[in-house]
Amino acid sequence: MSSSLPPPDPDAIQRVLFLCSTVHIYTVPPLTSTKGYTTTGWSPLVAPTASNSTPAAIITRLRVLETSSASTVTSSEFSEHHNNKIETTILLEDPSSGDLFAAAPYTSPSVVEAVLDSSRFFAVRVEGEGGRKAVLGIGFEERGEAIDFGICLQEVRKVLGMEGKTMDSTRNSAAAAMKFGRKESGAKEQEKEMGKRSWSLKEGETIKVEIGGMGAKRKEIVDDGGTDEEALFSIKPPPQNTGGMLFLPPPPSAQEVKAERRRSRGPVIPEEGSAADLGFDDGEFGEFQ
């Protein structure tokens, strides 16, 4: 892929913000997740060669070029209009000849996105002739170079006024991720606790099941000290006398009353009287006259 930049304004001032002499280029498959890019499925981009030669991976030089007009630097209205008069472009060039391979005008933070699974790789949206766009992967050989590249883009966003929007979106994304992470971790911890909890009955523990309206009455009877079987099928006997309160004895039977009366009367002694009263004939002839 090759393209050419329009010639700069004669009064424009250009400066290189970042330079890396060796950057590997990769083809990037279409994005399938809203989370971002990963290096999964990336393959080195090879240059077209003759049929009998081995294809070689493309290695370029990367420059971050800032272009501004001379009037912008000296004008007092710089703070109000600098966003429209300063342009920053990421250039991928041939390291030996300097020919332009691809260019990516840095007009929004989404032009360059860091991948999720590596700190040395980025996805860059380049533009070619006719406004055609494509996403290429770039990879740095050293992690320090990738860090410097990221810091450079951060400074560019500040100059172009993108940093506030980027920070707000980053905060919102981070807050959403933290909130989702807390919910997910909380759910996992709860599931882990539920898995560790023992639901078996310990010694002495029982389970009470209430059926309909029987539960309250049954519970009152059982709480008085009786068993379940006594509560459902029998009437409890009166409580035993524990010495605190005396109870009346049962009434005596008829035989016991009669016997008590005899004992209370004592022996029957006949009264003195005449022989006639006793049934003897003590008349005129007396007894054997």
Side-chain angles (χ1 to χ4, degrees), residues 115-153:
V115 299
L116 302 176
D117 54 351
S118 177
S119 61
R120 296 188 297 110
F121 294 85
F122 298 84
V124 181
R125 187 180 64 197
V126 299
E127 293 186 9
E129 296 178 356
R132 294 179 300 173
K133 298 179 181 181
V135 177
L136 295 178
I138 61 173
F140 295 91
E141 294 183 349
E142 300 292 337
R143 184 170 284 102
E145 296 174 341
I147 294 175
D148 293 340
F149 178 64
I151 295 174
C152 174
L153 295 182

Side-chain angles (χ1 to χ4, degrees), residues 24-261:
H24 297 265
I25 307 299
Y26 300 88
T27 58
V28 178
L31 186 63
T32 58
S33 174
T34 57
K35 295 181 180 180
Y37 290 93
T38 61
T39 56
T40 304
W42 285 20
S43 59
L45 183 64
V46 296
T49 56
S51 58
N52 57 354
S53 60
T54 303
I58 296 178
I59 298 176
T60 65
R61 178 182 65 188
L62 186 146
R63 288 195 303 156
V64 178
L65 184 66
E66 181 187 83
T67 303
S68 60
S69 62
S71 59
T72 304
V73 178
T74 58
S75 174
S76 61
E77 300 177 353
F78 171 77
S79 60
E80 299 179 1
H81 303 286
H82 71 281
N83 287 353
N84 298 329
K85 298 181 180 180
I86 293 180
E87 296 179 354
T88 302
T89 307
I90 300 171
L91 304 175
L92 300 176
E93 302 169 328
D94 187 287
S96 56
S97 62
D99 295 338
L100 181 64
F101 173 74
Y106 197 71
T107 56
S108 68
S110 60
V111 172
V112 179
E113 296 185 26
V115 299
L116 302 176
D117 54 351
S118 177
S119 61
R120 296 188 297 110
F121 294 85
F122 298 84
V124 181
R125 187 180 64 197
V126 299
E127 293 186 9
E129 296 178 356
R132 294 179 300 173
K133 298 179 181 181
V135 177
L136 295 178
I138 61 173
F140 295 91
E141 294 183 349
E142 300 292 337
R143 184 170 284 102
E145 296 174 341
I147 294 175
D148 293 340
F149 178 64
I151 295 174
C152 174
L153 295 182
Q154 183 177 2
E155 295 297 327
V156 171
R157 289 193 294 270
K158 290 181 180 180
V159 174
L160 298 180
M162 303 178 189
E163 188 63 25
K165 298 180 180 179
T166 305
M167 290 179 66
D168 292 340
S169 60
T170 303
R171 290 194 194 100
N172 295 335
S173 301
M178 291 177 64
K179 185 176 181 181
F180 178 77
R182 285 195 297 267
K183 289 184 178 180
E184 189 175 11
S185 61
K188 289 182 178 179
E189 291 178 0
Q190 187 176 3
E191 291 179 0
K192 193 176 293 183
E193 290 295 331
M194 294 290 287
K196 291 181 179 179
R197 187 178 299 177
S198 176
W199 297 100
S200 60
L201 293 177
K202 298 180 180 179
E203 185 177 357
E205 290 185 346
T206 58
I207 297 178
K208 296 182 180 180
V209 180
E210 297 182 359
I211 302 176
M214 300 173 58
K217 297 180 180 179
R218 180 180 177 183
K219 184 176 181 181
E220 293 177 359
I221 296 173
V222 173
D223 290 343
D224 291 339
T227 62
D228 293 345
E229 186 176 359
E230 292 176 351
L232 291 176
F233 303 106
S234 64
I235 300 176
K236 295 193 304 180
Q240 298 291 334
N241 183 18
T242 57
M245 186 175 182
L246 298 177
F247 293 91
L248 295 176
S253 62
Q255 294 180 357
E256 292 177 348
V257 173
K258 291 180 181 181
E260 184 64 24
R261 287 179 179 176

